[in-house]
Amino acid sequence: TQLLEQSPQFLSIQEGENLTVYCNSSSVFSSLQWYRQEPGEGPVLLVTVVTGGEVKKLKRLTFQFGDARKDSSLHITAAQPGDTGLYLCAESSGNTPLVFGKGTRLSVIA
Amino acid sequence: EAQVTQNPRYLITVTGKKLTVTCSQNMNHEYMSWYRQDPGLGLRQIYYSMNVEVTDKGDVPEGYKVSRKEKRNFPLILESPSPNQTSLYFCASTKAGGHGYTFGSGTRLTVV
């Protein structure tokens, strides 16, 4: 089973600051997904990246897939309290189901 | 509305009393999967199914059973629950090809 390392594990920032969280593996990803999970709810898909070097934007969130497809990052610009949650990366190699990282728990303080 | 529905949301039970957590999806997805989420351990896969009558073990299958008799349903069965199965459980589904899973809202199980 492929292991995904996410960093940092915890992050607490002030509203308006920028931040980046990371997802790394020693193996090549087939495709990578980012999810956000709020307390008491299931993870919700934010984006899927497939191509090495790919960059996707979702409002203030920018997702990047490394050229070698072994790492990914999520950058949030001007964080807001509504961004608070657990950010999870997950990898699915074609027909095999998701393997998740342990997540980055983000707290944005107003 | 496209969704994955789990029931119950909360359950407290006693050691050894068989229970079933139901999961149903209305999106005609081929893949379905069960995860448990524990502090410090993250989301770990219990069982998954790639289609009707096809199931396979995930990373932590001990103490669990599943069945996939119909495409829309994927129940999780605990034949003899133990306290170490106290956890938050999620069911998820996706179309074949792995383009993003839809998760249920979770079942918080406590075994005393």
Side-chain angles (χ1 to χ4, degrees):
Chain A
T1 302
Q2 182 162 333
L3 293 176
L4 302 181
E5 298 286 338
Q6 289 191 247
S7 60
Q9 192 175 354
F10 300 97
L11 188 55
S12 181
I13 62 170
Q14 294 291 126
E15 182 177 4
E17 292 183 356
N18 302 332
L19 67 110
T20 302
V21 299
Y22 301 92
C23 177
N24 295 283
S25 172
S26 57
S27 305
V28 173
F29 298 127
S30 172
S31 67
L32 191 85
Q33 299 163 13
W34 283 95
Y35 293 78
R36 180 170 68 212
Q37 184 180 18
E38 298 187 21
E41 296 297 328
V44 175
L45 179 70
L46 296 173
V47 76
T48 299
V49 286
V50 178
T51 306
E54 185 175 5
V55 177
K56 284 191 174 180
K57 289 184 184 289
L58 185 66
K59 297 183 181 177
R60 293 175 294 100
L61 278 60
T62 301
F63 303 86
Q64 190 155 4
F65 201 15
D67 291 339
R69 290 165 50 217
K70 294 171 70 173
D71 58 275
S72 182
S73 63
L74 159 58
H75 182 79
I76 302 179
T77 302
Q80 299 176 0
D83 296 326
T84 293
L86 179 66
Y87 288 82
L88 296 159
C89 64
E91 195 268 341
S92 175
S93 292
N95 288 329
T96 60
L98 287 178
V99 173
F100 282 89
K102 292 185 179 179
T104 293
R105 191 166 296 280
L106 172 65
S107 176
V108 182
I109 302 164
Chain B
E1 181 189 353
Q3 60 186 359
V4 175
T5 303
Q6 290 179 234
N7 280 296
R9 284 295 307 267
Y10 302 93
L11 179 61
I12 301 174
T13 190
V14 296
T15 299
K17 185 177 181 183
K18 181 179 178 179
L19 67 92
T20 299
V21 184
T22 63
C23 174
S24 180
Q25 50 94 4
N26 62 359
M27 297 165 282
N28 201 38
H29 284 169
E30 291 82 13
Y31 287 12
M32 297 186 75
S33 188
W34 276 103
Y35 291 87
R36 61 178 288 175
Q37 188 173 35
D38 301 288
L41 297 175
L43 277 160
R44 295 179 294 167
Q45 191 175 70
I46 304 171
Y47 268 95
Y48 63 95
S49 169
M50 292 191 189
N51 216 322
V52 176
E53 302 291 1
V54 180
T55 63
D56 214 339
K57 296 178 180 178
D59 296 321
V60 287
E62 294 78 19
Y64 304 94
K65 285 174 59 177
V66 292
S67 67
R68 189 91 182 273
K69 294 185 172 66
E70 307 163 280
K71 198 171 188 178
R72 63 183 293 124
N73 295 322
F74 190 43
L76 179 69
I77 303 155
L78 285 73
E79 294 271 3
S80 183
S82 62
N84 65 11
Q85 293 179 297
T86 292
S87 187
L88 180 58
Y89 290 86
F90 289 101
C91 180
S93 73
T94 188
K95 286 199 71 63
H99 294 296
Y101 273 69
T102 300
F103 280 78
S105 295
T107 295
R108 186 167 291 282
L109 172 66
T110 302
V111 183
V112 298

